[in-house]
Structures are given as structure tokens and as C-alpha cells.
């Protein structure tokens, strides 16, 4: 896929449909972490500087194909306006997606795509209707590129497609880790989602020097055969964090690394009494002189929370 910066002036003064990653944490209707919103700003500003009208597509949470006020993207609007310096339009949810029309504002955010069941089923009619709103498509949502959803794999069937500035940087950084990492390469995995973390263990096992595992997946992996380079953290008695001994052991290994990949937290970091493991590991990742690559919504939130 060609990058957006190399595609101009071909698409100058046209309308862009931009899939962004605004799946941010909300608390009482307020955005807790703006990192993912900030990541999209460079592409949006680049398009506006080239005279493009921009329609932003995004999702948040898992509303299961129906309207859920707690998952509305409306609280993102004032943050975007502050970051970009322009007024942002908002296309509200309508049950019938065929009534969605192009707004007149230079930049518009469409309501949470996952309010429509057709998004996650990759419905061709939904993809085609969205595609008709614009002249070209830009993918700036690295975190959901693996999803077979309408806004990721459906729309590109109908529009010329480009990679956003942050997406291109993500792919470059990940390629560096996968294809030519400085060693030792240390991979830190945590969290609770076995369906997404187990494939990472399998993918990194052949290339990593150490894979350090905490969180609930450490319990799950105890029941499975694991490669020799995988170290499972011991958990606290309530299983909500890794032990201080494991956290310090992981930190020592990280400090000797030349490349570090971190995805997932070591425990239920949202609870103050279960933050210590994640905090010790995160501080090591922050302090090491290694090339570091960090991903995952909870990981981003935790690192922001710890400063």
C-alpha cells in the first residue's frame, strides 16, 4: 500500500475517508488517554494542508452492533478540535446506514462504527455506502488492521487506498524488530486475552532471546508446552499481579536488552494494590537504552498513568 505522503498531488482537494484508531478509554464520559487521538493528527493535518475534506471513521469498545451511549465518540470532538485547530463536524448514529451523508465541515467524525452490525460482519453494502462518501481511503488504524471488518478490508475494494503516516511508522518499526533486531531481543507479554497473546508467543518464539510473560496469560500458559525461551512470571496469591521477585527478574533481563517489545500488563494495574508488577517492568522498559516498541490499549493506558 502506498503511503499518503507519496500520493500527492494526485489526491489534492479531494475527499478522504480516514480509518483512525480512536478506541480510547472513557471514564464518566471523558477521554482518559488521548495518545491514540494524537497519533492521527499528523495525517489529518497533512490532508487538510493539501486541501482535502476529511471524514474520520473509528470505533470504541464492543457495543455489539447497537447504539450504546457509553461508547459514543462525541467526547473525542473537543480534543480533536484542540489538537487540530479546526472545528470538527459529527455525524450522529442513524439505524439506517444508507442515510449517512457527507457533512459540509472540512473535517467530520462519524459516530462509532460498531453501532452498526454491518461493520463487524464486513457487509459489502455498508462498505460501498461508506466508500461513496469519498474519493480515496486512508488506513491510519494499525491496531485493528487484523480485523476483517468493513472499514478495514471492505472499503478498499471500492476506493484507492493509502497508508497513513503513523501506520507507515508502525510497520517500519515492527519490521525492524521482526527482520533485523539488535540482540538480545526481549518480548514482554501480559494481559488476559489468550486469543491475541498466544499467537504472539508463537510468532516471537523463533526470533526472541527472551519472552517474559505476566498477567492472566501466564496462568493459561502453565497448562501448555512452552518454548525454552519463554519465562512465566509467578503470580501473587490472588493472581492479580506478578510477584515482586518475578517483576525484578523481568526488569533485570530488560535492562540487558538491545531491543524490547512490550504488549500487555503484568496484572490488574487499574487497582492500586495490583500495580507494582506492571510499574516495575514499565520503569525498566522506560529506562533501558534499548530500542523499545510498545503496543496495546491497556499498555498505553498504564504507561500514561505511571508517567
Amino acid at each position: 500500500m502506498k503511503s499518503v505522503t507519496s500520493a500527492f498531488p494526485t489526491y489534492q482537494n479531494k475527499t478522504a475517508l480516514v480509518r483512525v484508531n480512536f478506541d480510547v478509554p472513557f471514564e464518566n464520559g471523558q477521554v482518559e488517554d488521548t495518545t491514540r487521538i494524537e497519533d492521527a493528527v499528523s495525517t489529518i493535518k497533512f490532508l487538510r494542508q493539501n486541501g482535502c475534506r476529511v471524514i474520520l471513521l473509528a470505533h470504541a469498545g464492543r457495543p455489539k452492533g447497537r447504539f450504546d451511549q457509553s461508547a459514543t465518540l462525541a467526547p473525542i470532538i473537543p480534543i480533536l478540535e484542540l489538537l487540530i485547530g479546526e472545528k470538527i463536524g459529527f455525524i450522529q448514529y442513524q439505524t439506517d446506514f444508507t442515510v449517512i451523508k457527507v457533512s459540509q465541515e472540512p473535517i467530520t467524525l462519524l459516530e462509532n462504527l460498531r453501532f452498526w452490525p454491518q461493520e463487524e460482519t464486513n457487509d459489502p453494502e455498508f462498505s460501498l455506502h461508506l466508500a461513496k462518501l469519498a474519493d480515496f481511503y486512508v488506513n491510519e488504524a494499525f491496531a485493528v488492521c487484523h480485523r476483517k471488518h468493513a472499514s478495514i478490508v471492505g472499503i478498499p475494494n471500492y476506493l484507492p487506498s493509502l497508508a497513513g503516516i503513523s501506520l507507515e511508522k508502525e510497520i517500519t518499526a515492527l519490521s525492524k524488530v521482526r527482520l533485523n533486531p539488535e540482540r538480545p531481543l526481549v518480548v514482554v507479554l501480559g494481559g488476559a486475552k489468550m486469543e491475541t497473546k498466544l499467537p504472539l508467543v508463537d510468532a516471537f518464539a523463533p526470533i526472541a532471546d527472551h519472552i517474559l510473560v505476566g498477567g492472566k496469560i501466564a496462568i493459561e500458559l502453565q497448562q501448555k508446552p512452552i518454548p525454552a525461551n519463554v519465562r512465566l512470571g509467578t503470580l501473587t496469591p490472588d493472581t492479580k499481579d506478578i510477584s515482586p521477585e518475578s517483576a525484578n527478574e523481568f526488569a533485570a533481563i530488560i535492562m540487558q536488552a538491545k531491543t524490547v517489545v512490550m504488549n500487555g500488563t503484568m496484572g490488574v494495574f487499574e487497582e492500586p494494590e495490583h500495580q507494582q508488577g506492571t510499574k516495575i517492568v514499565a520503569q525498566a522498559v522506560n529506562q533501558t537504552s534499548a530500542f523499545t516498541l510498545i503496543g496495546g490499549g491497556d499498555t498505553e493506558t498504564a504507561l500514561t498513568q505511571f508517567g
Side-chain angles (χ1 to χ4, degrees):
M1 186 185 291
K2 184 185 291 187
S3 69
V4 69
T5 53
S6 66
F8 282 77
T10 305
Y11 297 104
Q12 214 150 15
N13 302 318
K14 296 184 181 295
T15 300
L17 208 56
V18 185
R19 180 48 159 107
V20 289
N21 180 26
F22 288 170
D23 189 14
V24 295
F26 294 101
E27 185 67 36
N28 298 321
Q30 299 295 314
V31 177
E32 285 193 301
D33 185 355
T34 61
T35 305
R36 292 182 169 184
I37 303 171
E38 293 166 17
D39 285 345
V41 169
S42 294
T43 291
I44 297 169
K45 284 187 173 181
F46 175 82
L47 291 168
R48 290 294 299 131
Q49 287 162 5
N50 281 276
C52 294
R53 177 174 290 170
V54 177
I55 303 171
L56 301 171
L57 306 178
H59 81 273
R62 298 178 182 272
K64 299 180 180 178
R66 54 184 172 77
F67 180 79
D68 180 350
Q69 184 61 39
S70 68
T72 179
L73 299 183
I76 292 173
I77 296 288
I79 296 169
L80 267 179
E81 290 181 335
L82 189 63
L83 290 170
I84 296 171
E86 288 195 67
K87 183 171 177 56
I88 311 292
F90 188 55
I91 302 175
Q92 297 187 358
Y93 171 76
Q94 301 281 345
T95 306
D96 180 5
F97 67 81
T98 64
V99 303
I100 298 172
K101 295 180 180 178
V102 178
S103 175
Q104 294 307 305
E105 288 89 354
I107 307 174
T108 308
L109 174 64
L110 177 65
E111 181 59 286
N112 193 338
L113 286 169
R114 288 188 178 175
F115 288 170
W116 289 277
Q118 295 89 349
E119 161 67 0
E120 294 192 67
T121 60
N122 189 22
D123 182 86
E125 290 185 19
F126 186 62
S127 301
L128 179 59
H129 183 75
L130 292 176
K132 286 179 178 177
L133 302 178
D135 302 301
F136 66 103
Y137 168 83
V138 179
N139 188 338
E140 189 60 299
F142 178 81
V144 290
C145 280
H146 61 296
R147 303 286 186 192
K148 294 181 180 178
H149 294 172
S151 64
I152 301 297
V153 299
I155 295 171
N157 290 326
Y158 306 105
L159 287 177
S161 302
L162 306 169
I165 293 170
S166 289
L167 179 69
E168 186 178 21
K169 288 179 180 177
E170 298 266 21
I171 292 170
T172 300
L174 191 57
S175 297
K176 176 179 177 179
V177 168
R178 290 182 60 245
L179 303 175
N180 189 31
E182 285 191 69
R183 295 187 178 278
L185 165 59
V186 176
V187 178
V188 184
L189 298 176
K193 298 178 182 176
M194 279 295 289
E195 70 275 13
T196 58
K197 298 305 167 72
L198 188 57
L200 287 179
V201 174
D202 294 337
F204 278 111
I207 61 173
D209 295 285
H210 301 282
I211 299 178
L212 313 177
V213 182
K216 187 179 178 181
I217 62 167
I219 302 174
E220 300 285 345
L221 285 175
Q222 288 174 0
Q223 317 302 321
K224 300 178 181 293
I226 57 173
N229 56 349
V230 175
R231 294 185 183 223
L232 303 181
T234 57
L235 275 73
T236 52
D238 60 10
T239 72
K240 290 189 173 184
D241 199 2
I242 59 172
S243 67
E245 293 79 14
S246 281
N248 287 319
E249 178 192 7
F250 285 6
I253 294 171
I254 289 165
M255 293 305 293
Q256 298 300 314
K258 292 295 185 183
T259 304
V260 179
V261 177
M262 182 178 181
N263 183 281
T265 59
M266 299 294 100
V268 187
F269 74 94
E270 299 91 343
E271 299 174 0
E273 64 271 28
H274 300 118
Q275 291 180 348
Q276 195 64 16
T278 301
K279 199 167 190 177
I280 290 171
V281 171
Q283 285 172 338
V285 173
N286 189 49
Q287 292 168 5
T288 180
S289 59
F291 172 80
T292 56
L293 181 64
I294 296 165
D298 285 343
T299 317
E300 292 174 5
T301 302
L303 268 64
T304 300
Q305 183 175 319
F306 300 148

